[in-house]
Amino acid sequence: MPERILVVEDEARIAQFLKRGLIYEGYHVDVASDGQSGLDMARDNVPDLVILDWMLPGMDGLEVCKRLRAAGNVPILMLTAKEEVQDRITGLDAGADDYLVKPFSFDELLARMRALFRRAAPSSQPEVLRFNDLLLDTGTHRAQRGDRFIDLTAKEYELLEMFMRNPRRVLTRELIFDRVWGYDFGGESNIIEVYVRYLRQKTEEDGEPRLIHTVRGVGYVLREE
Ligand code: CA
């Protein structure tokens, strides 16, 4: 079964370019030209990945992203003409898994898509990773702390899995970048901080003791308080 890609893009030229290229690569492609029809299509035929333009008429890509995220964990790759780090952070806050700044090369788009698929794919041998009262199921990609189940986005899962597989080991920012993002996201980006903050919010929701600690100037470590 080819993977189903939903492209939400109002610029017909770009939408057609993406559709043609992705079909040629063997994907099944749906195209929506505005946010609401994108959401409708995603509901009717659940995609394996969404390529979502930021600037859309009516409901913008950010709002579409939030609604998609509220409905499930589909990987979301946002397209944007905005290059400022702050805009990226805003999009990541809305639940996007990755970014591509226009204009982009089709090869780079394919590489990012493959990376997202790899991360979203359930591991062949599901297992439950455990650290203290925090559990992570590599089959369902869900975490659990105490009795509380925690839903994670694709990137949050991947980051937490990296911590859970390396307990008490200090992970440098460079290593995390390399493993979780797999490419240079851009010099001074604070994307890792942003995601660590998400994970802390989710894993410390009920005031539980912190597990992911900052090692100033170096990176992060999963350890007891
Ligand atoms: Ca647009």
Side-chain angles (χ1 to χ4, degrees):
M1 275 277 281
E3 281 131 334
R4 181 181 280 268
I5 314 294
L6 172 61
V7 175
V8 187
E9 166 65 86
D10 60 309
E11 285 171 68
R13 189 177 51 85
I14 297 177
Q16 283 312 307
F17 161 74
L18 290 174
K19 184 175 184 178
R20 269 200 310 274
L22 292 172
I23 287 174
Y24 181 78
E25 292 294 323
Y27 293 109
H28 183 100
V29 184
D30 297 313
V31 176
S33 57
D34 65 77
Q36 187 57 55
S37 51
L39 288 172
D40 293 344
M41 287 170 113
R43 193 191 50 232
D44 295 342
N45 287 298
V46 178
D48 296 303
L49 184 144
V50 178
I51 298 174
L52 176 62
D53 188 33
W54 183 309
M55 302 298 277
L56 293 168
M59 188 191 304
D60 72 6
L62 220 49
E63 183 60 29
V64 176
C65 183
K66 282 182 195 158
R67 296 192 187 191
L68 284 171
R69 188 50 75 226
N73 286 335
V74 61
I76 301 171
L77 177 60
M78 284 200 84
L79 303 179
T80 176
K82 304 178 171 199
E83 296 186 57
E84 284 75 34
V85 167
Q86 188 51 48
D87 291 327
R88 299 185 183 201
I89 304 292
T90 307
L92 295 168
D93 274 332
D97 294 292
D98 201 1
Y99 256 93
L100 213 44
V101 175
K102 291 176 177 178
F104 53 87
S105 83
F106 193 67
D107 283 345
E108 183 171 14
L109 173 75
L110 291 176
R112 304 254 185 129
M113 286 173 59
R114 282 193 296 270
L116 289 177
F117 281 132
R118 266 201 310 279
R119 288 158 194 159
S123 120
S124 52
Q125 297 249 309
E127 55 186 313
V128 176
L129 306 174
R130 183 183 298 264
F131 184 82
N132 278 10
D133 59 346
L134 183 62
L135 306 179
L136 184 65
D137 186 323
T138 66
T140 63
H141 284 201
R142 262 179 130 194
Q144 187 181 349
R145 189 154 195 198
D147 296 332
R148 190 162 57 81
F149 284 96
I150 302 167
D151 286 314
L152 302 167
T153 66
K155 276 286 200 270
E156 289 167 356
Y157 168 79
E158 210 190 343
L159 182 57
L160 185 57
E161 184 188 8
M162 188 177 178
F163 282 123
M164 296 289 277
R165 290 193 186 280
N166 297 280
R168 300 184 190 89
R169 182 180 157 202
V170 175
L171 303 176
T172 65
R173 293 172 53 84
E174 291 73 21
L175 185 66
I176 296 172
F177 257 117
D178 193 50
R179 291 269 190 85
V180 178
W181 279 270
Y183 59 93
D184 185 6
F185 197 82
E188 296 306 307
S189 161
N190 59 348
I191 186 171
I192 298 177
E193 283 165 48
V194 171
Y195 271 86
V196 165
R197 182 163 43 107
Y198 293 158
L199 283 179
R200 282 174 176 164
Q201 281 165 358
K202 290 187 173 183
T203 59
E204 300 169 13
E205 191 180 291
D206 288 350
E208 295 110 328
R210 174 154 296 181
L211 293 175
I212 301 169
H213 299 269
T214 304
V215 182
R216 195 163 289 281
V218 182
Y220 297 91
V221 60
L222 180 73
R223 62 165 170 75
E224 294 83 357
E225 193 89 68

